[in-house]
Amino acid sequence: MTDPLIPATLAFRDNGTPFSPRHDDIYHSAVGGLAQAQYVFLQGNGLPERWQNRRLFTVLETGFGMGINFLMTWAAWRADPARCERLHFVSTEKHPFSRVDLLAAYAAVVSDESISALAQSLADAWPMLVPGTHRLEFEGGRVTLTLAFGDVTQTLPTLWLRADAFYLDGFAPARNPEMWSPAIFKSLARLAGEGATFATYTSAGDVKRALTQNGFEFRKVEGFGWKRAMLCGYFAPRWRVRRHEPPAPLAVQERHAVVIGAGLAGCALIERLAARGWRVTSLEKHAAVAQEASGNPAGVFHPMLSRDDSVASRITRAGFLYALQRWDALARSGHRLTRGAGGLLQLADNEDEAHLMAEALAKFGYPSDYVTSVEKAQAERLAGLTLAQSGWFFPHGGWIEPASLCAAQIAAAGETVERRFGVEVAKVERAGDEWNVLDADGATIVRAPVVIFANAHQAARIANLEFAPTRSVRGQLTLLPTGSVPSLGMPVIGEGYAVPLPDGVTLTGATYDLDDPEPSLQVAGHLENLERITRMLPTLANAFDTQHAQALAGRVAFRCVTSDRLPMIGALADEAAAVCDADRLRGAWPLDLPRAPGLYGAFAYGSRGLVWANLGAELIAAQIEGEPWPIERDLAEDLDPARFLLRALRQGTVR
């Protein structure tokens, strides 16, 4: 279970230097935080010279603190005409500041106006203080900050990236020994790229020994301010001990990708790849985007809560927060999204669940802008109707029209996208360093080094995946006409959901009919939807009978789900190669599996496409580009399309 996140306490010494009462240590030298960052971390790592004329450069920092090192690195990148094309800055922090305290700290210690402007941008984008990995983007995505909130001993081993430079910036080893433990340096060595450099203000003997034991060469140089010495150096192991090399970009002749499917999954991928300069060919069997489940009039979005902060809770939390960021970025760029405002209310199934979840939320200490437990009377004030139970309020949850999101993402991708509709893909075949995408007659539709399957039910079949247990779920929505039911103040979900749309219509649903291929509306489906919402909203009891239900409008769509109800996101396995090597791979881990070069999947999103699509697209783009992953590696492995093959190998059932 994830530990609660405890924010930092802002305090100052008499000389105005910010310090941590928890560790009784200062955040930076009294001589000045900006100057210390420049001397110790940038100059100590040979920056900006080392990133010049490179496509990608990644900095990994231990201890984000006030973010001064990030701000100075960002400023140096902006000022460098030969800067790298994309700068990734990854940092860990056990006790992050609140936005208010962060701004107060900057007001006290940052006097340079150019840095102040960057500090304001960082504070404006500052994430909710919940555990996990948070991805923030600046400069149109060319500068990316990935923050891992949590204990460094737990977060650092879950990161997956290739570091070019390390900023070792925890509190002093005597004050915060966990930050300088042998396990930390072992994790750093696992992530170090060839020739990766490091710098740190400390020169303690234990730190020097840990560096040497993990393959780093160091030298002692003059320290900053009143400090006599500091360390800097580089990764130069005398022997290879890593089981897996850190991620690297996919080797391609041309940065051209084919995305099959133009629903929520496919459009998110198109936007994320185009943002990195890829040429994308979009193939869609229908005549327009968002024609299947993504064509529903609205969908609700919210994180999933559990009393043990399960894998599903952690993944939906990451996806929810990242989706909000991406949608806001689209809106700021002038792209229109049709969405509701004011939050979302989730009702408990019964009083016992309400009580247990309220206890769990209090234990996790989530901030109120993430979720709040609400009593029944308060919930009724929010909803504007009588409710069956109390529940939880998500201030940033709500509803959105998926088609408007897809259209915005395609528009944001611009002219780098070739859109081809009415194209039915039958299979793909390897041809040299590329993939041929073929139709039913065996004719080549397009060739590219990268193909991504974002076409739900058809993905596993076209990709020829045997170990991909997906099923179809029929979902029927019901539209209650204007004036037929009292208006809700916000979406209410529970056993079902009720969403107030702008035209006065209330959307309810959806049925969950496994392996039911019926495409037409069914009266029984309408009645099922009505029965569920009347259990949630007693005011609506007897509002409709069977005769009325026959006249109701609605929509049928088919969701694709896996047996574990998690999506399939990431690189596809080379199943044939794995089967041939089944005995050796019986004890394999995900990174041991052979992969089909350039093939990826983004499907089986079920009813959570709005929450998962953007994060899934960012994860796949990062895997292709060799960038830091946007979520913890263990979570990415829970989404890995090869996870079912891996289970079969471990169980010895692959022959």
Side-chain angles (χ1 to χ4, degrees), residues 128-200:
M128 296 182 196
L129 298 190
V130 294
T133 303
H134 303 262
R135 190 88 135 192
L136 310 180
E137 297 179 6
F138 307 95
E139 307 286 353
R142 291 176 295 162
V143 174
T144 300
L145 171 62
T146 303
L147 292 166
F149 285 167
D151 191 319
V152 68
T153 61
Q154 299 173 15
T155 58
L156 193 58
T158 70
L159 298 178
W160 195 226
L161 56 94
R162 179 180 292 266
D164 299 299
F166 294 101
Y167 293 2
L168 307 184
D169 192 27
F171 290 111
R175 304 297 178 100
N176 190 17
E178 286 186 352
M179 187 73 82
W180 305 93
S181 66
I184 296 299
F185 289 93
K186 184 177 181 179
S187 290
L188 298 179
R190 180 178 59 86
L191 302 174
E194 295 298 324
T197 60
F198 78 88
T200 178

Side-chain angles (χ1 to χ4, degrees), residues 585-652:
L585 293 173
R586 186 162 184 177
W589 293 94
L591 291 175
D592 297 319
L593 293 180
R595 302 287 173 162
L599 289 190
Y600 299 83
F603 59 96
Y605 285 4
S607 59
R608 296 189 181 274
L610 287 169
V611 171
W612 284 335
N614 287 276
L615 182 64
E618 179 69 6
L619 175 59
I620 289 174
Q623 291 174 341
I624 293 172
E625 291 280 86
E627 297 175 355
W629 289 9
I631 55 174
E632 300 92 318
R633 195 176 78 177
D634 63 314
L635 291 184
E637 290 173 351
D638 286 318
L639 309 179
D640 192 336
R643 64 186 183 272
F644 296 100
L645 169 64
L646 187 69
R647 293 170 194 172
L649 288 166
R650 289 175 175 174
Q651 293 165 3

Side-chain angles (χ1 to χ4, degrees), residues 64 403 616:
F64 188 75

